[in-house]
């Protein structure tokens, strides 16, 4: 089995994936939302301190299976460095104690593998990755040859959901709360401008939209429940309009046979429905990860780790490099 550890942001997660059968034997995570909620966002040092408490709790659950572990996979980039370090230290200790190789996994590659955790690898593959840290279009010929063909020039999509939720006085993380509230709102009440509409670049931008929402909130003065719902719905529509406006350009240009939707924001049902409709227009097969693998988890890291295990892509436990930023390749 491969034992995988994920601690790049505020989720502590562990998974065990059988090498031969690709069966997920164990996966669990301890989320920290309530701990960071008072601050309206993730506090890196607090996340790290909680990983140091929570990762050993998860490890205890799989202690009897440790003799069956053949390799340790751990997220080493990109993410919050102090948070990544907690998972990496545990991985180093386990690799040395068990005498098994260490596999350093890129978190973005992990998200891509969330599309086939217990199945055969699906390459070539294009995917839209929308999370708290990224808004990307990725093209992967295979596991080792991947490139970003689009990214955000400022905020990520998930970040925009979180910041708008904060402006509306809603809970953290904002994505699921906005989605819920938007169901009772009128998405056409506020006409927020579409970012980068006349910009030829294949790129995303969310800070202008966020500021438009801020101005609309300020213009309202006191916010009634209905106005909040209308703002949530109008923002969600604009955020998805923008994402899919640029994705449409990509589909027109690249005509991929299939397009995945991964990352925390991909749990959004409104986005999923509209993404599916867009893919149908282009005869492109839409791929989704199960909801439990949309936000950060260790199952996807284990699956990426398995690809690297099969390639013999191991890392010296004494010299694991931790990086906060790690693009897959330069954009063209
Ligand atoms: O992938 P993820 O768990 O962590 C990162 O790698 O960033 O993504 C977290 C992000 C947060 O910004 C959260 O608000 C957003 O995903 N999110 C959603 C939904 N569920 C989570 N955004 C919109 N709608 C949702 N249902
Ligand atoms: Zn993530």
């Amino acid at each position: 089995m491969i034992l995988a550890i994920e601690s790049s942001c505020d989720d502590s997660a562990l998974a065990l994936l059988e090498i031969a059968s690709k069966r997920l034997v164990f996966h669990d995570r301890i989320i920290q939302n309530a701990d960071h909620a008072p601050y309206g966002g993730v506090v890196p040092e607090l996340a790290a301190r909680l990983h140091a408490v929570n990762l050993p709790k998860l490890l205890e659950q799989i202690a009897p299976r440790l003799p069956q572990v053949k390799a340790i996979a751990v997220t080493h980039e990109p993410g919050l460095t102090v948070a990544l370090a907690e998972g990496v230290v545990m991985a180093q200790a386990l690799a040395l104690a068990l005498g098994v190789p260490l596999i350093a996994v890129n978190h973005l590659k992990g998200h891509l593998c969330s599309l086939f955790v217990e199945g055969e690898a699906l390459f070539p593959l294009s995917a839209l990755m929308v999370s708290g840290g990224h808004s990307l279009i990725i093209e992967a010929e295979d596991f080792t040859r991947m490139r970003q063909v689009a990214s955000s020039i400022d905020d990520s999509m998930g970040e925009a959901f979180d910041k708008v939720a904060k402006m509306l006085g809603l809970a953290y993380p904002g994505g699921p709360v906005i989605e819920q509230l938007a169901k009772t709102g009128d998405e056409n009440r506020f006409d927020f401008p579409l970012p980068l509409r006349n910009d030829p670049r294949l790129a995303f931008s969310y800070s202008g939209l966020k500021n438009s929402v801020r101005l609309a909130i300020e213009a309202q003065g006191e916010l009634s429940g209905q106005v909040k719902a209308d703002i949530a719905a109008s923002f969600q529509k604009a955020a998805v309009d923008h994402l899919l406006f640029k994705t449409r350009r990509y589909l027109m240009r690249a005509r991929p046979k299939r397009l995945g939707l991964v990352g925390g924001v991909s749990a959004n049902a409104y986005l999923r429905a509209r993404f599916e409709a867009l893919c149908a227009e282009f005869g492109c097969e839409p791929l989704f990860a199960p909801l439990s693998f949309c936000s950060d988890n260790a199952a996807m890291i284990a699956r990426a780790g398995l690809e690297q295990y099969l390639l013999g892509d191991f890392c010296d436990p004494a010299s694991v490099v931790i990086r906060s930023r790690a693009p897959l390749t330069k954009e063209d």
Side-chain angles (χ1 to χ4, degrees):
M1 289 176 196
I2 289 180
L3 166 57
I5 305 170
E6 158 64 38
S7 70
S8 64
C9 191
D10 60 344
D11 295 320
S12 318
L14 242 59
L16 278 173
L17 186 72
E18 247 174 28
I19 292 169
S21 66
K22 301 186 181 65
R23 193 171 65 89
L24 196 58
V25 177
F26 172 91
H27 79 113
D28 199 3
R29 63 180 179 160
I30 300 179
I31 59 169
Q32 308 175 359
N33 291 346
D35 303 279
H36 297 282
Y39 308 100
V42 177
V43 180
E45 285 71 19
L46 177 59
R49 193 144 32 91
L50 293 169
H51 287 315
V53 175
N54 294 336
L55 286 173
K57 283 188 193 162
L58 293 168
L59 188 63
E60 242 170 66
Q61 292 184 49
I62 56 161
R65 294 187 189 265
L66 285 179
Q68 293 162 267
V69 169
K70 293 282 176 281
I72 311 289
V74 64
T75 309
H76 75 121
E77 63 175 23
L80 304 171
T81 50
V82 286
L84 287 165
E86 294 300 329
V88 167
V89 166
M90 178 183 257
Q92 289 168 317
L94 283 168
L96 290 171
L98 299 174
V100 297
L102 186 70
I103 302 168
V105 177
N106 176 292
H107 184 77
L108 307 180
K109 289 194 172 190
H111 271 300
L112 207 63
C113 292
S114 68
L115 293 169
F116 50 82
V117 167
E118 292 189 279
E120 290 305 318
L122 293 172
F123 293 112
L125 176 64
S126 293
L128 204 51
M129 186 174 299
V130 277
S131 70
H134 298 91
S135 309
L136 305 171
I137 298 176
I138 290 174
E139 255 177 13
E141 277 175 60
D142 55 33
F143 186 83
T144 54
R145 285 174 298 171
M146 297 189 188
R147 62 192 193 118
Q148 291 172 200
V149 292
S151 64
S152 175
I153 59 172
D154 43 55
D155 293 354
S156 73
M157 190 175 184
E159 212 175 339
F161 271 83
D162 294 337
K163 288 179 177 168
V164 166
K166 195 173 177 182
M167 288 184 233
L168 290 171
L170 305 171
Y172 171 84
V177 194
I178 297 252
E179 179 181 10
Q180 205 50 39
L181 188 60
K183 288 182 182 155
T184 58
D186 173 4
E187 67 175 23
N188 297 313
R189 171 145 176 207
F190 293 90
D191 192 14
F192 296 125
L194 201 61
L196 304 184
R197 193 186 177 87
N198 299 313
D199 189 314
R201 279 177 296 177
L202 193 54
F204 304 110
S205 166
Y206 281 98
S207 78
L209 173 60
K210 174 190 68 187
N211 285 329
S212 304
V213 175
R214 187 194 308 281
L215 293 175
I217 291 173
E218 282 166 12
Q220 289 295 315
E222 195 68 16
L223 291 179
S224 71
Q226 189 56 51
V227 171
K228 279 190 185 181
D230 293 345
I231 289 175
S234 304
F235 159 72
Q236 178 176 259
K237 174 176 182 294
V240 171
D241 278 351
H242 167 53
L243 187 80
L244 298 187
F245 177 78
K246 293 294 183 181
T247 304
R248 172 184 293 278
R249 285 228 181 126
Y250 172 69
L251 289 171
M252 281 161 65
R253 191 182 86 183
R255 300 270 167 186
K257 279 210 283 294
R258 53 193 175 204
L259 186 66
L261 183 63
V262 300
V265 185
S266 73
N268 186 295
Y270 174 85
L271 168 61
R272 282 186 175 224
R274 292 197 43 199
F275 177 83
E276 202 164 7
L278 176 66
C279 288
E281 271 185 52
F282 286 85
C284 168
E285 183 193 358
L287 302 174
F288 301 101
L291 285 180
S292 53
F293 300 154
C294 287
S295 51
D296 291 346
N297 65 87
M300 68 186 194
I301 302 302
R303 187 62 184 83
L306 175 57
E307 289 299 307
Q308 291 178 238
Y309 180 86
L310 298 173
L311 291 165
D313 179 9
F314 303 120
C315 168
D316 177 358
S319 52
V320 184
V321 176
I322 293 171
R323 293 196 295 178
S324 60
R325 289 170 173 273
L328 291 170
T329 55
K330 283 247 175 296
E331 287 158 42
D332 56 4

